[in-house]
Amino acid sequence: MSLLEVRHLAKSFGAVKVADDLSFMLEKGAALGVIGPNGAGKSSMFHLIGGSLKPGAGQILLDGADITALRPEQRCRAGIARTFQVPQPFSKMTVFENLLVPSAFGAGAAEPDGDRYCVQVLEQTGLLRKANQPAGTLTLLERKRLELARALAARPRLLLLDEIAGGLTEHETAQLVETIKEINRSGTAIIWIEHIVHALTAVVQRLMVINFGAKVADGSPGEVMGSTIVKRIYMGIEVA
Amino acid sequence: MDFQVERGGRASKNAAITLLIVLSALTAGPYWLNAGHQSVLMEIFYFLALAQLWNLMAGFAGVVSLGQQAFVGIGGYTLFAAIAWWGIPPLVALALAGIVGLLVALPVVHMVFRLQGAYLAIGTWVVAEVLGLGVSQIESLGAGSGMSLPIEVADSIEIAFIDRDGVLYLGALFLLVTGNLCAYGLLRSRFGLALTAIRDNESAAAASGVDCKRVKLVVYLATALGTSLLGALIYLTKFRISPAAAFDINWTSYIIFIVVIGGVGTLEGPIVGTIVFFLLREYLADTGTWYLVILGLLSVAIMLKWPAGIWGSIAKRFDLKLFPTGRRLRVSDREL
């Protein structure tokens, strides 16, 4: 059984379709990269999987169970954690406290055990030095790292990463890639939306392309990047 | 790796000691304060308690209600009805008022929670108006002109050697202290972690597994209970109640003024706000309506200049917390 199954998902705002008959599956522990032009519906797909957006049609299954009707907090408890493209920290709480929230309510951890796990995540994401700083005082890059750390603190089985590498230097990107690989190796399935394709392909075994809310390509990174349809709509290259 | 999670700090220890001294002095109030000072302090106590409750609900849980006067009125009228209709002793009637407030809040919360933001604010206000109008139709409670408590009731409030004013004063102090202790305990608990997260970012809290709706519901109901208790106590000291006064939107306006100028979403803010509110009232009492105009202008000015309120701005500049609800991490014995 797949970890995640998305079936014929549809959502539109007026004439704009952010999800158009979108279907795909993700196996346990797999890593999937998602690319597509701006406004293609990538983040909306995360809103739909995370539960903050209700689909107009279609179903979402986690471990074979229909979770389409579940609210965001229920999906988090079921094992789906996400980062936000525009960071949404608990700004007046400290970085450490930011992690305690998903640890207590998402993972349902009791204090000593949850605290220990949060400290580990802080170390893993390089935020330990900032632990007692209010999240609102972090720089944009640190906030992006906090998004990742907070999602991890929920101990998800499926991690949704929304453009967390944007704005990083080459060196920082390499570090982030290592961290995400490590998370994936420990058994957490990942869907990663990113424009930086080489960072994606360093982690994922599979790439999916979305345009106008619809899936236009899905396969190994080599296949997908080589396909004419991707070159035409995503890369903006005219193919004769 | 060794680590420790700390709650508290130096400022908070000093604050706790100071607070304990102040509270002891206030508890002994009936012995060394005259009736006039006692009654002003009593008013300060219940306004601070009302403000703290509203702060918990609006400042933390994000439920901005403009209808807290509904529960002041329900509490007050329950007390009067219990005494006038059934001759229930005042202090028992007080507890009953809290329970009735909670029972009224149960259906109300299901209505108003269908609304959000400004609509919820208006909705709660409308509910308060409707309840006020409803009460003014009850003939045996004096209808629109209200009613007074019989004089025997006044005398029955004395306990042993403490006179009526003293009992009411201590009652207000008791509600204030227990209310604040509960709020403080709540905010330090696991539930408080959820509440603080909702204060900062509701959608992120939901994505982190927090059941925001349930948290809001619990806080709204607790606030209704506390506000009704206070409403009953307030009208027990006034001895006279009328729908226009008990269900007056001004209860909520003053509360919001206190919380906003003090600092919304902190426990210290309403304390500062209450002090400012009463100082202004003391010095502007002779200016009549200008008093309200000045209060309004001042709150607008503070909202624009210091949106975090007086306490919020001071606390931010000096990294000050008198009642720490947070958790600080120490790793291998060094402060991070």
Side-chain angles (χ1 to χ4, degrees):
Chain A
M1 193 197 312
S2 306
L3 175 66
L4 180 78
E5 188 177 347
V6 173
R7 285 185 188 162
H8 308 293
L9 214 54
K11 175 77 188 176
S12 26
F13 295 103
V16 182
K17 288 180 176 170
V18 294
D20 183 9
D21 197 25
L22 186 66
S23 298
F24 68 93
M25 290 204 220
L26 187 73
E27 300 308 314
K28 286 191 177 68
L32 167 68
V34 177
I35 57 173
N38 285 325
K42 303 185 297 298
S43 290
S44 298
M45 180 181 83
F46 275 8
H47 293 320
L48 289 164
I49 299 174
S52 54
L53 200 61
K54 292 271 168 244
Q59 280 126 33
I60 301 164
L61 283 76
L62 188 72
D63 279 332
D66 191 338
I67 58 162
T68 321
L70 295 189
R71 294 191 301 273
E73 68 271 18
Q74 293 170 315
R75 296 192 198 194
C76 175
R77 289 168 195 179
I80 302 176
R82 63 168 302 185
T83 68
F84 291 90
Q85 188 186 356
V86 177
Q88 310 266 330
F90 303 123
S91 21
K92 285 187 219 152
M93 299 171 84
T94 68
V95 168
F96 177 55
E97 288 165 344
N98 265 260
L99 267 59
L100 289 176
V101 177
S103 170
F105 298 95
E111 288 216 13
D113 179 41
D115 290 352
R116 183 165 297 283
Y117 187 72
C118 290
V119 173
Q120 275 172 24
V121 172
L122 285 175
E123 213 181 8
Q124 188 181 15
T125 52
L127 282 170
L128 195 58
R129 277 182 317 112
K130 305 278 175 180
N132 292 327
Q133 211 165 303
T137 63
L138 297 181
T139 64
L140 178 64
L141 293 182
E142 288 165 343
R143 283 175 200 220
K144 290 210 165 197
R145 245 188 286 168
L146 176 59
E147 284 292 320
L148 172 63
R150 196 173 57 187
L152 283 176
R155 304 200 201 191
R157 287 181 296 151
L158 172 60
L159 179 63
L160 309 176
L161 302 173
D162 198 347
E163 292 191 25
I164 53 167
L168 296 187
T169 64
E170 201 60 23
H171 177 66
E172 287 165 335
T173 308
Q175 271 185 332
L176 181 71
V177 162
E178 278 317 304
T179 310
I180 295 174
K181 269 186 180 168
E182 197 181 305
I183 296 161
N184 187 222
R185 266 200 300 272
S186 71
T188 308
I190 290 171
I191 304 179
W192 186 6
I193 297 173
E194 196 60 70
H195 285 299
I196 306 165
V197 177
H198 69 87
L200 267 186
T201 52
V203 176
V204 304
Q205 307 91 23
R206 184 179 147 205
L207 215 53
M208 183 164 89
V209 186
I210 291 182
N211 197 25
F212 295 112
K215 185 169 87 173
V216 293
D218 187 352
S220 75
E223 258 166 52
V224 167
M225 296 314 290
S227 74
T228 34
I229 188 160
V230 169
K231 284 184 180 158
R232 194 182 318 134
I233 60 167
Y234 178 63
M235 312 297 274
I237 300 170
E238 284 296 326
V239 181
Chain B
M1 183 173 27
D2 277 339
F3 72 92
Q4 247 183 315
V5 178
E6 279 182 354
R7 322 285 307 262
R10 199 155 21 96
S12 67
K13 254 176 226 159
N14 294 337
I17 293 167
T18 316
L19 199 70
L20 219 60
I21 296 170
V22 172
L23 279 181
S24 317
L26 287 175
T27 310
Y31 295 100
W32 60 275
L33 287 167
N34 65 36
H37 287 147
Q38 266 187 54
S39 93
V40 172
L41 275 173
M42 191 160 63
E43 226 181 324
I44 291 177
F45 296 161
Y46 58 64
F47 262 110
L48 176 53
L50 287 171
Q52 205 62 278
L53 286 169
W54 189 84
N55 178 38
L56 210 56
M57 178 179 62
F60 283 90
V63 181
V64 180
S65 159
L66 288 180
Q68 288 317 95
Q69 66 276 19
F71 298 107
V72 174
I74 291 290
Y77 265 102
T78 304
L79 178 100
F80 275 53
I83 293 172
W85 292 350
W86 303 304
I88 293 175
L91 295 180
V92 180
L94 207 65
L96 186 68
I99 295 166
V100 171
L102 189 62
L103 291 177
V104 171
L106 279 169
V108 168
V109 75
H110 284 105
M111 281 191 288
V112 296
F113 271 32
R114 291 167 183 271
L115 308 169
Q116 264 157 10
Y119 295 96
L120 185 140
I122 303 292
T124 52
W125 187 1
V126 170
V127 167
E129 288 295 310
V130 169
L131 286 171
L133 287 171
V135 166
S136 69
Q137 303 304 310
I138 304 174
E139 283 299 331
S140 54
L141 291 176
S145 51
M147 65 189 291
S148 303
L149 281 180
I151 190 71
E152 316 85 81
V153 174
D155 300 329
S156 75
I157 304 175
E158 293 176 359
I159 297 176
F161 47 86
I162 306 173
D163 66 1
R164 187 184 84 201
D165 293 338
V167 171
L168 293 173
Y169 166 92
L170 288 175
L173 183 62
F174 176 76
L175 282 185
L176 170 70
V177 173
T178 40
N180 270 293
L181 280 178
C182 287
Y184 182 51
L186 195 72
L187 286 176
R188 284 172 66 99
S189 72
R190 202 178 142 96
F191 187 83
L193 194 63
L195 201 52
T196 317
I198 294 175
R199 174 195 70 184
D200 282 6
N201 193 319
E202 197 174 329
S203 56
S208 300
V210 176
D211 188 342
C212 300
K213 199 170 174 195
R214 199 183 129 261
V215 171
K216 286 167 178 240
L217 193 90
V218 169
V219 173
Y220 183 88
L221 292 177
T223 305
L225 172 79
T227 306
S228 305
L229 274 173
L230 286 160
L233 185 74
I234 289 167
Y235 280 98
L236 185 58
T237 65
K238 288 189 193 285
F239 274 89
R240 176 154 183 83
I241 196 166
S242 72
F247 291 91
D248 191 347
I249 177 84
N250 267 343
W251 285 113
T252 303
S253 325
Y254 291 148
I255 291 168
I256 295 179
F257 175 84
I258 287 171
V259 176
V260 166
I261 62 165
V264 74
T266 61
L267 278 177
E268 297 92 343
I271 299 175
V272 175
T274 307
I275 294 170
V276 173
F277 176 67
F278 275 87
L279 282 177
L280 285 174
R281 208 181 69 168
E282 190 65 29
Y283 290 104
L284 298 174
D286 305 329
T287 60
T289 317
W290 281 108
Y291 161 57
L292 291 174
V293 175
I294 293 170
L295 280 193
L297 286 176
L298 189 70
S299 50
V300 171
I302 289 187
M303 272 188 270
L304 290 174
K305 198 103 176 77
W306 300 292
I310 297 172
W311 174 261
S313 303
I314 295 173
K316 197 174 171 190
R317 174 163 301 179
F318 300 102
D319 190 25
L320 211 59
K321 280 195 179 72
L322 296 186
F323 307 119
T325 54
R327 296 157 170 84
R328 289 186 83 81
L329 186 66
R330 278 176 75 96
V331 173
S332 307
D333 252 19
R334 74 196 145 92
E335 182 90 24
L336 287 165

